[in-house]
Amino acid sequence: MPLSLADPAPLSLTWQGQGHPIVLLHGWGMNAAVFAPFAELLAEQGFRVGLLDLPGFGDSAPLRDGLTVAGMAAAVTHTLNDQLSAPCTLLGWSMGGLVATEVARQQQARVSHLVTLASSPCFEQRPQWPGIKPEVLAGFAAALELDFDGTLERFVALQAMGSRSARQDTRLIREALSKAQRPDEAALRQGLAVLQQADQRSLLAQLPTPWLRLYGRLDALVPASGIQLVDALAPESVSVILPKAAHAPFISHPQETLAALQQFHR
């Protein structure tokens, strides 16, 4: 049953480990299972790890009014309020970074630390702003109507493009997708529109939360050339670049990703 913003039902959120809570938000087309090996690593290092399915993905119902950054942020906030009494670290990967940023901006008492991983405040290329070419995102949207599974498969391949372990990374992402039900088709279409339209650049200076931005230098979706532009927009944030990682550093370079998180929490 679709969720309504007026009365959002909690999203699917499962926990493992003990310690400081960290909630992981996945990207477009994915589900929380993509984080499973990394979540185990975090739990072993003293974190209480929450794996959350965004609306329309994994075991979470879609939003009745359509997928938007505001709608996803409201659903995530409602779920966190239901399950946590203390502030948490919120980590958003790719599209999940947009959601995590919006939650941190609106719910300052709820989020103790913000982490965006291979994410951007504006994914689509704009004048003087590097990003995914508009025709590429438009092509995915058109292809989704013709070949749902094939389009998802091509996007999975993009996650690992550039990584030396691309074949293995792609296999792990496919396995994660297979462990949950297929994403809602409307949520997929609307999620692509989010990637095309979202632009949080003017909001970044309003983020009071300690903020770590983690990037892969070989990322085909979030160009490294944009990192310094975000540095200028959010000078209080901390940026870390993993030189051999692509769009899924937590899969290809889990130890390096973990080390950056631990350093950030000291």
Side-chain angles (χ1 to χ4, degrees), residues 3 5 8-11 52 55 63 69-80 103:
L3 308 179
L5 277 182
L11 303 173
L52 186 147
L63 291 173
V69 173
M72 287 187 281
V76 169
T77 298
H78 182 73
T79 302
L80 295 180
V103 174

Side-chain angles (χ1 to χ4, degrees), residues 44-115:
E44 290 169 359
Q45 297 299 317
F47 287 95
R48 184 185 179 211
V49 188
L51 296 177
L52 186 147
D53 287 321
L54 291 172
F57 299 94
D59 294 326
S60 291
L63 291 173
R64 184 181 304 163
D65 299 325
L67 201 72
T68 63
V69 173
M72 287 187 281
V76 169
T77 298
H78 182 73
T79 302
L80 295 180
N81 288 340
D82 260 11
Q83 298 203 26
L84 283 176
S85 57
C88 69
T89 293
L90 199 56
L91 182 152
W93 171 47
S94 195
M95 185 183 77
L98 293 170
V99 182
T101 299
E102 182 63 11
V103 174
R105 187 178 74 86
Q106 292 193 13
Q107 305 291 329
Q108 298 176 19
R110 168 56 59 204
V111 181
S112 64
H113 300 74
L114 170 65
V115 181

Side-chain angles (χ1 to χ4, degrees), residues 209-231:
T209 303
W211 179 15
L212 170 65
R213 297 158 30 232
L214 268 169
Y215 300 94
R217 184 172 293 281
L218 306 178
D219 195 334
L221 299 173
V222 179
S225 56
I227 296 173
Q228 289 187 336
L229 297 177
V230 185
D231 288 340

Side-chain angles (χ1 to χ4, degrees), residues 23-59:
V23 178
L24 312 182
L25 307 183
H26 60 80
W28 181 85
M30 303 291 127
N31 59 70
V34 75
F35 288 117
F38 187 60
E40 290 182 11
L41 184 61
L42 287 171
E44 290 169 359
Q45 297 299 317
F47 287 95
R48 184 185 179 211
V49 188
L51 296 177
L52 186 147
D53 287 321
L54 291 172
F57 299 94
D59 294 326

Side-chain angles (χ1 to χ4, degrees), residues 49 54 64 73 76 78 86 98 103 112 135 143 164 171 179 181 187-188 192 194 207 229 249 256-257 262:
V49 188
L54 291 172
R64 184 181 304 163
V76 169
H78 182 73
L98 293 170
V103 174
S112 64
E135 57 268 28
R164 291 183 179 178
R171 176 178 59 80
K179 292 176 181 176
Q181 55 188 314
L188 276 177
L192 275 178
V194 166
L207 287 172
L229 297 177
E256 291 90 333
T257 304
Q262 290 176 316

Side-chain angles (χ1 to χ4, degrees), residues 161-249:
M161 183 183 295
S163 170
R164 291 183 179 178
S165 56
R167 183 173 296 179
Q168 177 183 349
D169 298 349
T170 301
R171 176 178 59 80
L172 291 172
I173 295 172
R174 286 197 195 104
E175 288 177 359
L177 285 173
S178 71
K179 292 176 181 176
Q181 55 188 314
R182 284 159 57 98
D184 179 75
E185 292 192 26
L188 276 177
R189 296 187 192 97
Q190 294 155 3
L192 275 178
V194 166
L195 294 177
Q196 290 173 302
Q197 299 166 13
D199 187 350
Q200 296 178 325
R201 289 177 290 176
S202 65
L203 306 176
L204 300 187
Q206 304 172 20
L207 287 172
T209 303
W211 179 15
L212 170 65
R213 297 158 30 232
L214 268 169
Y215 300 94
R217 184 172 293 281
L218 306 178
D219 195 334
L221 299 173
V222 179
S225 56
I227 296 173
Q228 289 187 336
L229 297 177
V230 185
D231 288 340
L233 292 171
E236 299 300 316
S237 65
V238 176
S239 61
V240 174
I241 306 170
L242 302 183
K244 297 182 180 180
H247 193 63

